[in-house]
Amino acid sequence: MPQDKFYITTPIYYVNDVPHIGHAYTTIAADVVARYKRLEGYEVFFLTGTDEHGQKVQQAANDLNLSPQEHTNKLHQRFKELWVRLNISNSDFIRTTEERHKKLVRNILQELHSKGEIYQDSYEGWYCTPCERFWTEKDLAQGNCPECQRKVEKIKEHNYFFRMGKYQEWLIDRIKNDPHFILPASRRNEVLGFLDKPLEDLCISRPRSRLPWGIPLPFDEEYVTYVWFDALINYISIHGSLEEIKASGFWPADHNMVGKDILTTHAVYWSTMLKAIGLEPPKNIFAHGWWTVNGQKMSKSLQNVVEPNQLIEQFGVDAIRYFLLREVPFGLDGDFSHKALIGRLNSDLANNLGNLLNRTVNMMKKYCGGTIPTPATAGPEDEPLTTKAEEVIAEVRKLYGELAYNKILQKIWELVDTTNQYIDKTGPWNLAKTDEGKERLKTVMYNSAESLRVLGVLLNPFMPTSTESLMKQLGAETSIEDQGMISINEWGGLKPGSQTQKAKQLFPRIEDKQAKKILDELSEPKEDNKDSQITIDEFMKVELKTGKILEAEKVKKSKKLIQLKVDIGTETRQILAGIAGSYEPEDLVGRTVIIVANLKPAKLMGIESQGMVLAAGNDGKILLAGFDQEPGQGIQVR
Ligand code: MSP
């Protein structure tokens, strides 16, 4: 029997952006569905790629003295490499500068032009270079681009237009008649609101003299295609010519997954373009929300861009995949914080799931010699577990239809909790004490392991690596991919007699000390961060002076502190310094140091410190700040 086909896409990312968690979010979300559908037995096509034409790319390449093509050849690798690291299972990777893509774009343009769907007209408007979009006077926000608030320039030129406006009624009907077409519902209403106003035709060209880096129009080589008209076609150019697309069985796509900022371009431009070409719009366009970081928009100037590569090193791939989809309902905005990530990793992954696997595999070794036992028929105590599993599996299948990732994970965790409770209630450690108990123990151990196998299959799309490791520990002979969702339709897929492996921690806990270190490093002020800069006046408030150490002795019961008497010209100060690990008191006497003279006195180990000595270093070696010549005492340091 031929397999049912399933097609899912991510937006194609601007090639000169540095990949961040926002990009990773869409791609991971699409990957989870692609993996799930494969487990359900579908032939899945999962597409991602890079958007490589346009003014910004051209400018960046010019700045580097590279051709735009050379530049994008390098840059797109950053996305490809990140997707490999994040275990993204895309079927192909489309670049808009590839021949296969350019060919279809030009063919479509030619066809639409021949059919009269594209015409030439003069055009005057306000152009925003960073957004590569024209705006009308009334669109502007205080004279600036309404989207990025930057300056716009007035441009008058001849251009080509796609007759988008004529599809307005058709599009409104399409959206109203199919509640699944644009999701979530709130975004669907926004699109309908946008369509309340007359829909204008779409300017789909740019003069080549102004913007050479684009796909030339086949019917007028003096112009290149507008980036969005070019980029949107990526979703079909991957499948070949229009005939091949129709024959591929992969169009219409099941999901075009996008961020909320690019919903209009998809719901309106893309759907009407497809209509004009004679293809169906995608079955669903889903607009997810945006991530902020500690309440702020991610931006290079704020230096708060969260880099997935760094997160992978700190927390592991699966923890990140889990966190991004568990923390916030898909469709709503969310705020990223390392603290929340550590919290979820420790509680959900290490404590709940990780521990469940660990205790089960360890008990299997202890009570069953590491062999999956044959269970007896289910009794009343087993039923809540098997019933819960059935309920969770059915609900998860349903929730995938809504892309409700956080609910899917919540639901799966109900089974994690029920299994932990099942073990606590049945108490294998007590059963092991009597002969009768030992018989029952086999069923309890089997059920616990089987529940974990079900969890492994359900969680595999989210955490592909950890769940395969889980499966191996349980002694399963085939991979989750081979087992598929079908293997959990009925309880009992785990084969009695298989050998479990040594228990291995799936998710190491981030201990408090390590967590503190990670969080402290993150909150360190960054060099260019405007908020952490001080004025010269503020700096001048700190009174720095030279002083000569007259006396030095170790503070009793302290490993670090040395008590100093320092002559600062006008007076002698008693100062405590945490330098005992690096200096002996006798080496210090006679040295000239720099002290903060107007620091509020503070007591350390019951001794008053009337200032602070400047030194460089951290917990390891500490070096006192000093001078290459003797400056004398009480001299101001600036
Ligand atoms: N190249 C266009 C898309 C063309 S699709 C035919 C583009 N690229 S982008 O790189 O700017 O954005 C790609 C995706 O990343 C968008 O879906 C966008 O919503 C998403 N995100 C970018 N920053 C984001 C967050 N901070 N949070 C979540 N997603 C965000 O637009």
Side-chain angles (χ1 to χ4, degrees), residues 11-14 17 20 22-23 25-26 51 228 231-232 234-235 258-262 266 288-291 298:
I12 47 172
Y13 302 100
Y14 285 131
D17 277 356
H20 58 59
H23 307 125
Y25 184 48
T26 331
D51 192 351
W228 273 102
L232 288 161
N234 88 87
Y235 301 130
V258 298
K260 62 177 184 180
D261 55 318
I262 56 172
H266 282 78
H288 64 70
W290 264 46
W291 284 94
M298 246 185 293

Side-chain angles (χ1 to χ4, degrees), residues 62 127 144 155 195 282 308 313 321 422 464 479 509 559 613:
N62 287 352
Y127 191 67
N144 292 330
I155 289 182
L195 289 169
E313 269 145 40
R321 291 175 61 110
Y422 172 76
S479 68
R509 259 186 76 81
K559 279 191 193 145
V613 178

Side-chain angles (χ1 to χ4, degrees), residues 347-389:
S347 70
D348 300 2
L349 298 181
N351 287 0
N352 296 346
L353 177 65
N355 237 350
L356 172 62
L357 176 70
N358 221 263
R359 72 202 287 220
T360 306
V361 174
N362 279 331
M363 286 191 294
M364 197 66 93
K365 177 101 198 143
K366 189 164 174 195
Y367 304 130
C368 309
T371 306
I372 301 285
T374 308
T377 344
E381 256 190 321
D382 307 317
E383 249 173 51
L385 180 66
T386 49
T387 313
K388 181 52 119 186

Side-chain angles (χ1 to χ4, degrees), residues 121 131 186 203 254 543:
D121 203 353
C131 295
S186 57
C203 177
D254 292 270
E543 209 181 301

Side-chain angles (χ1 to χ4, degrees), residues 14 24 53 63 148 182 202 238 364 431 459 475 544 605 617 633:
Y14 285 131
H53 288 120
D63 293 348
C148 72
I182 291 166
L202 182 67
I238 200 81
M364 197 66 93
L431 295 174
L459 284 172
L544 297 173
M605 305 200 66
Q633 288 98 278

Side-chain angles (χ1 to χ4, degrees), residues 143-161:
N144 292 330
C145 169
E147 207 145 281
C148 72
Q149 275 75 44
R150 278 180 272 212
K151 261 177 78 176
V152 285
E153 26 171 355
K154 192 158 204 174
I155 289 182
K156 186 173 179 181
E157 58 195 20
H158 265 88
N159 261 317
Y160 285 91
F161 292 81

